[in-house]
């Protein structure tokens, strides 16, 4: 009998509690969203500053649509580069304090375009074990030799660097990591990484996806906070999270950006992002640079501190649950509640949904097998009582199971 395509594989996914499904959201992004006629408190998004539905961004996008239309019509190198794209890149570079910047249609595209442009066959890429899929895919695509070092393990990274110097002398070595890790919320030891990269004459690329808008003066990220802009060769980020818009970027030197314009295939062979999206992202950069933006970022930190204060004791008391990373660093807006078992994580997420909270269960392959978790994100748009009610619900549910 003829089998239906993928039926067995899908069955196996379901049996392992690893199947995934789309959920339809009938409202804009925000601390409250609507799913199938129900309002849910949303602790799942990366819209850290609540900009995704901000009137400043909406109006900037609408004005740009009225002036420039919708589609960009061609790739950036043909005729797709419109004024909003260049305005955004100038503002990004100024805000970041780098010579220049280049935007891509997504953070994923920024990674996929840039890493294969930086290294090639016989070069070496050293990746943190917890790096985002876009960085892993990009490293693989580059054809370079890829070595993974255990998460934030400087000693192992050092021994990889020694190995690379010994076995691949004269080849380019690129260290790739994140300033805030997307599923754990902890930070990279940036100063030590810079010391290592200097000692071994390697290049350093930092993905600041979850740090920009959150960390550093005016949300410029961890690199800016540590005043190490000159030491980090490639600063990557996304316009899709704290910026509330869409797209990815690379900030760096003139030569780097000129090289990417010539070699980054996801940039060259893809139509330019809609000019209205660039205009919305520019409004976000301008907001972040303003004193109002800084006030919003400080409000986010108040919410982060409240979440940590309320979650930590209830998570400790709950049998078999731990908030693994909160103690060990200065924090971020990401709170992983480690569960371990995939089905158990799904059950917990379902129980929270019944209580009116959207908190996603994160499972393999996003995280390692057996390290499933609830990933709670807090934003500046959450009210204090919303955070209190989530922590209460978690306490009740985890203690009753
Ligand atoms: C989300 C994310 C990306 C991808 O950015 P998009 O703009 O969503 O494509 C890249 N790196 C990290 C660490 C991320 O969390």
């Amino acid at each position: 009998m003829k089998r239906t395509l993928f039926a067995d594989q899908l069955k196996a996914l379901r049996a392992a509690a690893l199947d995934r499904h789309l959920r339809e959201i009938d409202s804009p992004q925000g601390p409250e969203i609507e799913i199938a006629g129900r309002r849910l408190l949303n602790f799942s998004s990366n819209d850290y500053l609540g900009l995704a539905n901000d009137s400043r961004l909406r109006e900037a996008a609408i004005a740009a649509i009225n002036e420039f239309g919708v589609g960009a019509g061609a790739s950036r190198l043909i005729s797709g580069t419109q004024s909003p794209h260049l305005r955004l890149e100038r503002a990004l570079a100024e805000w970041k304090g780098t010579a220049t910047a280049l935007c891509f249609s997504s953070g994923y595209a920024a990674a996929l375009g840039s890493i294969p442009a930086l290294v090639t066959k016989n070069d070496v890429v050293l990746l943190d074990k917890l790096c985002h899929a876009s960085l892993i895919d990009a490293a693989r695509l580059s054809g370079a030799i890829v070595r993974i070092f255990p998460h934030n393990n400087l000693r192992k990274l050092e021994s990889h660097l020694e190995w690379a110097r010994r076995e691949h002398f004269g080849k380019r070595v690129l260290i790739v990591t994140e300033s805030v890790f997307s599923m754990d919320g902890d930070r990279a030891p940036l100063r030590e990484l810079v010391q290592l990269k200097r000692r071994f004459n390697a290049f350093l690329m930092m993905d600041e996806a979850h740090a920009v808008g959150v960390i550093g003066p005016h949300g410029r990220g961890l690199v800016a906070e540590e005043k190490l802009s000159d030491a980090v060769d490639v600063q990557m980020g996304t316009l899709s999270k704290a910026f509330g818009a869409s797209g990815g970027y690379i900030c760096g030197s003139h030569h780097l950006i000129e090289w990417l314009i010539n070699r980054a295939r996801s940039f060259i062979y893809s139509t330019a992002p809609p000019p209205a999206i660039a205009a919305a992202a520019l409004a976000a950069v301008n907001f972040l640079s303003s004193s109002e933006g800084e006030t919003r970022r400080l409000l986010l930190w108040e919410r982060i501190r409240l979440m940590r204060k309320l979650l930590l004791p209830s998570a400790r008391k709950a049998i078999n649950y731990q908030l693994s990373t909160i103690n060990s660093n200065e924090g971020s807006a990401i709170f992983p509640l480690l569960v371990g078992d995939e089905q158990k994580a799904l059950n917990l997420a379902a129980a929270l949904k019944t209580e009116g909270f959207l908190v996603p269960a994160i499972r393999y392959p996003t995280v390692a097998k057996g390290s499933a978790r609830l990933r709670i994100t807090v934003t500046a748009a959450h009210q204090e009582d919303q955070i209190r009610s989530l922590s209460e619900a978690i306490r009740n549910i985890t203690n009753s199971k």
Side-chain angles (χ1 to χ4, degrees), residues 45-51 180 182 209-214 241-244 296 300 332-334 375 377-381:
S45 99
N46 304 308
D47 179 23
Y48 296 121
L49 296 172
L51 292 180
V180 168
S182 56
H210 296 277
V212 290
V214 179
K241 288 167 182 160
F243 284 88
R296 178 81 61 92
L300 168 63
S332 67
I334 301 163
R375 178 181 181 269
T377 48
V378 65
T379 74

Side-chain angles (χ1 to χ4, degrees), residues 155-183:
R155 188 129 30 95
K156 196 69 193 179
L157 172 60
E158 185 178 359
S159 85
H160 281 341
L161 285 162
E162 278 163 357
W163 161 83
R165 185 160 64 185
R166 203 172 54 240
E167 303 291 327
H168 301 278
F169 189 77
K171 296 298 177 193
R172 193 171 287 172
V173 178
L174 176 68
I175 304 167
V176 180
T177 189
E178 296 176 23
S179 42
V180 168
F181 286 84
S182 56
M183 296 302 138

